[in-house]
Amino acid sequence: MIVKPVLISKESPIDQGFMTYLYGYGTPITIGVYFWLIEGAEKKIIVDTGASGDLIKAAGFPGINYQSQEEALEKMGLSPEDIEIVILTHLHFDHAADMEKFKKAVFYLQKDELAYAQNPHPTQQGWFVLPPADLRVELIEGDQVVVPGVEIIKTPGHTPGTQSVLVDTDKGKLCISGLCTIEANYYPPEEAQKMGFSAFTPGIHINALEAFDSVMKIKEKAEIVIAPHDIKYAEQEILP
Ligand SMILES: [Zn+2]
């Protein structure tokens, strides 16, 4: 199987501290907002739905539009109705906007993520979106194989029910991380390693220790880690 990164919008400038907890504060970076198309599986699967720059701006963050989900899919000969499964890593607005566009899909979501999104802590108020009532949602608890070669692993800490997706590829197991992170979270620069950082906790978290453990779990389980906000995938059509 292969994974196609689909850039929907960008956020720029964002303080790096939103991604790497206790490191890089004051450094402005550009992050990508994507969804991910898995090709070669039994079913047509995307991971997350992304969000437009306008929606991101409405939430108070610096959003830049790139393309809509429809435009992006059309370039690949698809439409939102062709998507059979949507795996939502979590319910933050930049990962799960426009769910209603994917009318025929079944959405995979952790049970505790939905429960939390309905009543989030005040520190994360306004960051969650809820599935429309008529959406077909499969609520799961923990790890689960979705189709052969595509497995959800629970990676909590960023939100209570954050999940990530393992995909079998020619080059080994690839993990689309559900934690809002950049590549440096998994592979810190040498100077940070000297300071004792073997990885960085996601800057946004509800439980810092659990979020760090989830970063480590992803590193253990996958040969190739895809950090969902790293801008480098904007230049890559196919992963790995
Ligand atoms: Zn995010």
Side-chain angles (χ1 to χ4, degrees):
M1 280 174 271
I2 58 163
V3 173
K4 291 186 171 170
V6 183
L7 185 74
I8 295 301
S9 62
K10 294 176 184 175
E11 293 182 59
S12 185
I14 279 279
D15 192 292
Q16 194 189 313
F18 277 97
M19 300 286 119
T20 53
Y21 185 50
L22 299 177
Y23 191 80
Y25 290 174
T27 306
I29 60 168
T30 296
I31 63 172
V33 175
Y34 305 85
F35 71 80
W36 313 84
L37 178 73
I38 299 174
E39 271 195 4
E42 251 174 31
K43 300 212 170 189
K44 290 242 169 348
I45 304 175
I46 63 169
V47 177
D48 285 342
T49 55
S52 71
D54 289 338
L55 277 171
I56 289 165
K57 265 189 223 159
F61 289 82
I64 300 167
N65 282 322
Y66 188 71
Q67 61 184 344
S68 68
Q69 292 97 337
E70 293 92 329
E71 286 164 346
L73 286 166
E74 202 187 324
K75 287 177 196 162
M76 299 183 282
L78 295 167
S79 77
E81 285 82 38
D82 294 322
I83 303 304
E84 297 171 280
I85 294 175
V86 180
I87 301 170
L88 291 177
T89 61
H90 60 294
L91 288 174
H92 278 167
F93 61 85
D94 57 329
H95 294 258
D98 303 317
M99 289 178 248
E100 64 287 349
K101 288 182 179 176
F102 300 89
K103 291 185 180 15
K104 296 194 177 145
V106 177
F107 284 69
Y108 282 71
L109 183 62
Q110 292 287 327
K111 194 177 172 186
D112 49 3
E113 182 70 8
L114 180 60
Y116 184 79
Q118 286 163 339
N119 187 23
H121 188 271
T123 55
Q124 295 198 346
Q125 209 86 51
W127 290 3
F128 286 88
V129 288
L130 290 171
D134 58 349
L135 206 75
R136 292 165 63 201
V137 180
E138 177 93 24
L139 288 178
I140 65 170
E141 291 177 78
D143 300 355
Q144 186 170 318
V145 174
V146 179
V147 296
V150 178
E151 186 186 359
I152 289 171
I153 54 168
K154 193 169 180 186
T155 49
H158 173 60
T159 62
T162 307
Q163 55 188 7
S164 299
V165 185
L166 289 174
V167 182
D168 286 345
T169 76
D170 282 354
K171 292 176 185 156
K173 278 219 191 286
L174 173 149
C175 183
I176 303 167
S177 169
L179 306 155
C180 289
T181 46
I182 55 175
E183 198 173 59
N185 283 81
Y186 306 86
Y187 308 108
E190 215 169 296
E191 56 166 40
Q193 290 180 30
K194 273 186 206 151
M195 293 166 74
F197 291 110
S198 51
F200 294 122
T201 300
I204 296 170
H205 49 256
I206 52 117
N207 183 323
L209 304 185
E210 212 174 48
F212 178 86
D213 290 346
S214 290
V215 168
M216 298 310 276
K217 178 177 177 178
I218 289 167
K219 282 180 74 168
E220 261 168 46
K221 293 228 173 208
E223 274 95 48
I224 304 140
V225 177
I226 305 302
H229 284 307
D230 205 293
I231 196 64
K232 72 185 245 188
Y233 309 115
E235 308 296 323
Q236 287 171 255
E237 258 173 54
I238 290 173
L239 300 169

